[in-house]
């Protein structure tokens, strides 16, 4: 459901760049260094990271972006990041991204869950389950 696998052919006019993928409490990752910084920050603060591997030309990515931003505002105890697979191709490949969007749920940099596709109910369900599981373990 809602996966982009390859970049569509365009006529040279690229209006996709106008889509906002970051906002609210979503952090845009533009380098391996910024990734490392956010992972260290999340570990230090005891936060679970939701990493959204996305692409500006991907329809489902654009469709779920406002919802992802909304979730980031609703759940400030989690860290929401977005990675543009076109900008960080090599890095995205190291995560074996086969479709966009792909969401990774990370604790201390380790994957605890994954969701492929722009499935709002499933994304909400996974986040709710994480919030429920972390609230049982006070810091």
């Amino acid at each position: 459901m809602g996966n982009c696998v390859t970049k569509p052919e365009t006529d040279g006019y690229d209006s996709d760049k106008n889509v906002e993928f970051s906002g609210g409490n979503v952090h845009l990752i533009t380098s391996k260094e910024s990734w490392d910084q956010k992972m260290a920050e999340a570990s230090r603060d005891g936060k679970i990271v939701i990493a959204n591997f996305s692409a500006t030309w991907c329809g489902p990515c654009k469709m779920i972006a406002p919802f992802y931003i909304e979730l980031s505002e609703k759940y400030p105890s989690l860290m929401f990041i977005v990675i543009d697979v076109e900008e960080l191709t090599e890095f995205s490949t190291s995560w074996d991204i086969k479709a966009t969007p792909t969401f990774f749920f990370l604790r201390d940099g380790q994957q605890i869950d994954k969701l492929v596709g722009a499935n709002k109910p499933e994304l909400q369900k996974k986040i709710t389950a994480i919030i429920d599981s972390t609230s049982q373990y006070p810091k």
Side-chain angles (χ1 to χ4, degrees), residues 14-69:
D14 193 5
S15 61
D16 295 345
K17 296 292 183 191
N18 297 330
V19 176
E20 281 296 320
F21 281 95
S22 62
N25 291 320
V26 177
H27 306 278
L28 180 63
I29 302 300
T30 55
S31 67
K32 174 72 169 81
E33 291 72 31
S34 61
W35 168 273
D36 291 341
Q37 183 183 356
K38 287 296 174 191
M39 290 300 117
E41 186 182 316
S43 288
R44 183 191 68 226
D45 298 344
K47 288 188 173 190
I48 289 176
V49 176
I50 294 109
N52 174 5
F53 286 83
S54 242
T56 55
W57 46 262
C58 167
C61 297
K62 290 189 271 191
M63 185 265 311
I64 204 161
F67 182 66
Y68 189 67
I69 291 168

Side-chain angles (χ1 to χ4, degrees), residues 66-108:
F67 182 66
Y68 189 67
I69 291 168
E70 189 181 302
L71 290 171
S72 78
E73 293 168 340
K74 187 174 177 182
Y75 301 104
S77 63
L78 304 174
M79 182 181 287
F80 290 78
I81 60 176
V82 65
I83 300 94
D84 184 334
V85 296
E86 291 287 301
E87 276 188 38
L88 293 175
T89 309
E90 201 172 297
F91 180 71
S92 299
T93 302
S94 74
W95 280 85
D96 199 28
I97 304 300
K98 301 215 182 316
T100 52
T102 296
F103 301 91
F104 283 95
F105 301 80
L106 310 167
R107 178 183 286 127
D108 294 322

